[in-house]
């Protein structure tokens, strides 16, 4: 089985969030199920630099949304890639904007979709896809160009990683998309008078997946449906919730090159060196009080404002906190002010630092994830894998992957973390206070760490579900 995946980012070449991790790890997991995946990605500067001389042109465009372009094939970092080399669209800073969204993002990702549909129709040397798998709104137009072109018979999957990001644009762009007039309808790309890329991809796909079973249910409600709950309910029989996994070769505490001390479930004492490194990096006191971390974008969705509201109370309760991330400037400012108030108890690093995120998972006692909604979340999976106990809001994939340390679960020795609801500041604080209480019993806390580290957070089972879905769709054609 040959599958063309289309994604706007892929780890380790370009990453802004979990989408890149999925696009980078899922193809390798699918290989074990007899599925060969080639992934079409934009030719950002970092991608083109990584290709160097290890690429070959397989398709050329004299004109593609404003300039010449080509598709080149390459194998880089273990990834089997097709890269859309279109300097007029992608040779610029940032993936989606340099300090904001680019005004021509509709053009950039329509071009990606057109190239994907052309590959679906014609293939490239030694590769003709049996199925196309598009990830998020940036890839969704692939399925639209297939639907209204000559590749309409090729089955397709549309994966929603976060319904909050939909790729909505003014209706005035429609004439430039190269689609038939019939496509500008409620059954096509039209969305409240504009053009909706994700909406159109959902409409065009043979099947729709999202990244956890609970999120698949949530997005069919007005609260979480972001205006698309009606469409998703209409396609409920085609909607599947398949929880994400992580690359357990990259995220492995026993071999991780980013750690001062590697360790396993039977050698948790070795985490102490990593804890000392975290304390040094964030200027925290060297003591035995519970050390919690946050690795997150600083946004309303991620609940960082809730954390701001209770940060003083967390410190007063006796915990230490280390935060890595960036985003909303007001939230960044509030956290920086709190760090100045609580020197030695709270430290923050603004920005993105992959090695540091590994160290924090390997050295902290627990990780706080107070998201208002979370389609799947990978951070809690990293926490489970590293014995960094997740403290999470009860939503989406967080609810699906963390076993709450209620009295029965603790007694049975199956708890892997703590959940809280409703999702507000007071509930978050109560969960942290509960974690501090549990941390006082080394036996209970160590049990949660070991249970988390035993959890299967790999792609194995989920890749099998994707492979089965692919087979079903192909057999139906």
């Amino acid at each position: 089985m040959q599958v063309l995946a289309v994604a706007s980012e892929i780890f380790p070449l370009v990453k802004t969030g979990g989408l890149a991790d999925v696009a980078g790890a899922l193809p390798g997991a699918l290989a074990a199920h007899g599925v060969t995946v080639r992934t079409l990605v934009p030719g950002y500067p970092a991608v083109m630099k990584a290709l160097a001389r290890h690429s070959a042109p397989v398709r050329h465009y004299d004109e593609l949304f404003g300039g010449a372009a080509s598709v080149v094939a390459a194998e880089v970092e273990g990834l089997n890639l097709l890269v859309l080399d279109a300097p007029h669209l992608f040779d610029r800073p940032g993936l989606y904007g340099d300090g904001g969204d680019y005004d021509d993002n509709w053009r950039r990702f329509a071009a990606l979709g057109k190239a994907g549909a052309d590959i679906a129709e014609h293939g490239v040397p030694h590769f003709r896809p049996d199925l196309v798998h598009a990830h998020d709104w940036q890839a969704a137009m692939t399925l639209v160009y297939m639907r209204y072109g000559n590749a309409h018979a090729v089955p397709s999957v549309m994966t929603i990683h976060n319904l909050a990001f939909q790729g909505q644009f003014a209706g005035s762009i429609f004439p430039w998309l190269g689609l038939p007039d019939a496509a500008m309808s409620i059954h096509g790309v039209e969305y409240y008078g504009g053009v909706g890329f994700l909406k159109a991809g959902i409409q065009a796909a043979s099947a729709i997946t999202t990244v956890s079973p609970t999120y698949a249910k949530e997005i069919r409600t007005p609260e979480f449906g972001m205006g698309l709950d009606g469409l998703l309910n209409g396609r409920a029989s085609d909607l599947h919730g398949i929880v994400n996994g992580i690359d357990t070769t990259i995220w492995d505490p026993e071999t991780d090159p980013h750690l001062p001390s590697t360790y396993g479930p039977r050698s948790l004492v070795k985490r102490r060196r990593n804890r000392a490194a975290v304390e040094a990096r964030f200027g925290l006191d060297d003591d035995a009080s519970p050390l919690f971390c946050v690795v997150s974008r600083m946004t309303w969705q991620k609940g960082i404002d809730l954390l701001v509201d209770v940060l003083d109370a967390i410190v007063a309760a006796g915990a230490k906190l280390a935060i890595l991330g960036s985003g909303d400037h007001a939230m960044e400012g509030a956290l920086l002010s709190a760090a100045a108030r609580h020197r030695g108890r709270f430290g923050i690093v603004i920005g993105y630092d992959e090695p540091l995120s590994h160290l924090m998972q390997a050295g902290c006692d627990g990780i706080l994830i107070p998201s208002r909604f979370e389609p799947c979340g990978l951070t809690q999976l990293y926490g489970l894998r590293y014995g960094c106990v997740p403290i999470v809001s009860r939503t989406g994939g967080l609810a699906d992957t963390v076993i709450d340390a209620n009295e029965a679960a603790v007694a049975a020795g199956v708890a892997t973390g703590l959940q809280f609801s409703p999702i507000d500041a007071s509930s978050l604080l109560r969960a942290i206070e509960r974690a501090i209480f549990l941390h006082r019993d080394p036996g209970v806390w160590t049990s949660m760490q070991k249970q988390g580290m035993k959890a299967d957070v790999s792609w194995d089972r989920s890749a099998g579900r994707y492979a089965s879905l692919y087979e079903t769709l192909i057999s139906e054609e």
Side-chain angles (χ1 to χ4, degrees):
M1 190 190 309
Q2 298 195 113
V3 171
L4 172 67
V6 185
S8 60
E9 50 189 86
I10 189 166
F11 182 84
L13 300 182
V14 282
K15 173 179 174 177
T16 65
L19 165 61
D21 293 312
V22 173
L26 182 55
L30 284 166
H33 298 273
V35 180
T36 298
V37 179
R38 300 193 76 170
T39 306
L40 175 67
V41 296
Y44 307 115
V47 174
M48 299 310 298
K49 182 179 179 181
L51 299 189
R53 293 177 295 223
H54 307 293
S55 61
V58 294
R59 186 171 186 84
H60 179 75
Y61 296 90
D62 291 329
E63 203 284 331
L64 182 68
F65 286 91
S70 62
V71 175
V72 297
E75 291 191 25
V76 182
E77 299 279 358
L79 303 170
N80 199 340
L81 299 180
L82 295 167
V83 178
L84 179 57
D85 182 14
H88 62 292
L89 299 174
F90 301 114
D91 187 12
R92 58 181 82 169
L95 304 194
Y96 312 119
D98 187 18
D101 290 335
Y102 287 122
D103 292 338
D104 63 344
N105 272 348
W106 68 269
R107 190 190 313 270
R108 300 169 78 218
F109 296 107
L112 183 69
K114 183 65 170 67
D118 289 340
I119 296 167
E121 178 182 354
H122 302 289
V124 297
H126 313 297
F127 178 77
R128 190 177 189 90
D130 301 301
L131 179 142
V132 175
H133 187 163
H135 294 271
D136 265 355
W137 75 264
Q138 298 92 337
M141 288 299 288
T142 306
L143 311 190
V144 180
Y145 285 114
M146 289 169 59
R147 177 186 180 186
Y148 291 101
N150 294 326
H152 52 82
V154 179
S156 60
V157 174
M158 179 77 241
T159 292
I160 302 165
H161 292 266
N162 190 335
L163 195 62
F165 303 101
Q166 299 183 8
Q168 295 178 15
F169 302 99
S172 58
I173 73 166
F174 178 77
W176 302 97
L177 293 176
L179 292 167
D181 290 345
M184 191 58 179
S185 73
I186 192 172
H187 302 294
V189 302
E190 190 272 336
Y191 187 63
Y192 291 102
V195 171
F197 278 26
L198 181 61
K199 177 262 183 185
I202 293 171
Q203 197 100 47
S206 306
I208 306 124
T209 70
T210 192
V211 290
S212 72
T214 293
Y215 193 59
K217 297 174 184 176
E218 289 176 343
I219 60 176
R220 292 175 56 194
T221 68
E223 182 182 1
F224 293 98
M226 306 290 176
L228 292 176
D229 48 292
L231 172 58
L232 290 165
N233 276 300
R235 299 216 58 193
S237 62
D238 301 315
L239 176 61
H240 309 266
I242 303 177
V243 71
N244 281 341
I246 62 174
D247 189 329
T248 53
T249 60
I250 293 172
W251 288 91
D252 184 351
E254 296 189 270
T255 61
D256 195 327
H258 302 305
L259 308 185
S261 177
T262 55
Y263 62 95
R266 297 182 179 180
S267 54
L268 288 172
V269 67
K270 293 183 179 180
R271 294 181 93 251
R272 291 175 182 170
R273 282 189 61 198
N274 302 323
R275 177 190 176 95
V278 173
E279 290 168 342
R281 180 67 177 83
F282 286 87
L284 301 176
D285 297 338
D286 176 11
D287 60 30
S289 55
L291 171 56
F292 301 124
C293 68
V294 176
V295 181
S296 176
R297 296 195 310 276
M298 295 181 186
T299 64
W300 179 88
Q301 179 210 328
K302 297 295 184 180
I304 302 302
D305 56 313
L306 305 180
L307 189 64
V308 169
D309 289 345
V310 299
L311 204 143
D312 292 342
I314 294 172
V315 173
K320 296 181 296 190
L321 186 61
I323 294 183
L324 169 65
S326 63
D328 182 274
H329 294 314
M331 293 182 192
E332 289 180 3
L335 291 169
L336 288 167
S337 296
R341 290 197 306 273
H342 300 293
R343 297 188 188 278
R345 308 307 298 173
F346 169 46
I348 182 170
V349 172
I350 300 294
Y352 169 73
D353 188 324
E354 185 81 11
L356 181 56
S357 70
H358 284 241
L359 175 64
M360 294 167 74
Q361 296 277 17
C364 295
D365 297 306
I367 182 162
L368 309 179
I369 310 173
S371 303
R372 284 185 168 86
F373 63 94
E374 194 62 71
C376 177
L378 297 179
T379 312
Q380 84 279 10
L381 302 183
Y382 302 145
L384 293 170
R385 177 80 164 150
Y386 278 57
C388 186
V389 175
I391 301 159
V392 305
S393 50
R394 188 173 293 131
T395 187
L398 302 176
D400 290 331
T401 54
V402 176
I403 300 173
D404 180 63
N406 57 56
E407 187 174 349
V410 170
V414 297
T416 61
L418 295 89
Q419 295 186 12
F420 68 89
S421 67
I423 304 172
D424 56 30
S426 59
S427 293
L428 169 60
L429 181 58
R430 285 195 297 271
I432 294 169
E433 290 172 340
R434 187 158 59 106
I436 293 171
F437 174 78
L438 292 171
H439 186 265
R440 292 179 186 139
D441 186 331
V444 169
W445 199 262
T446 299
S447 173
M448 285 199 292
Q449 290 179 295
K450 290 183 176 180
Q451 283 298 119
M453 295 177 80
K454 285 166 54 179
D456 182 5
V457 295
S458 74
W459 271 106
D460 293 346
R461 282 185 296 177
S462 296
R465 289 196 61 193
Y466 273 114
S468 295
L469 176 61
Y470 295 165
E471 290 172 0
T472 299
L473 296 175
I474 291 169
S475 67
E476 289 175 352
E477 290 300 323

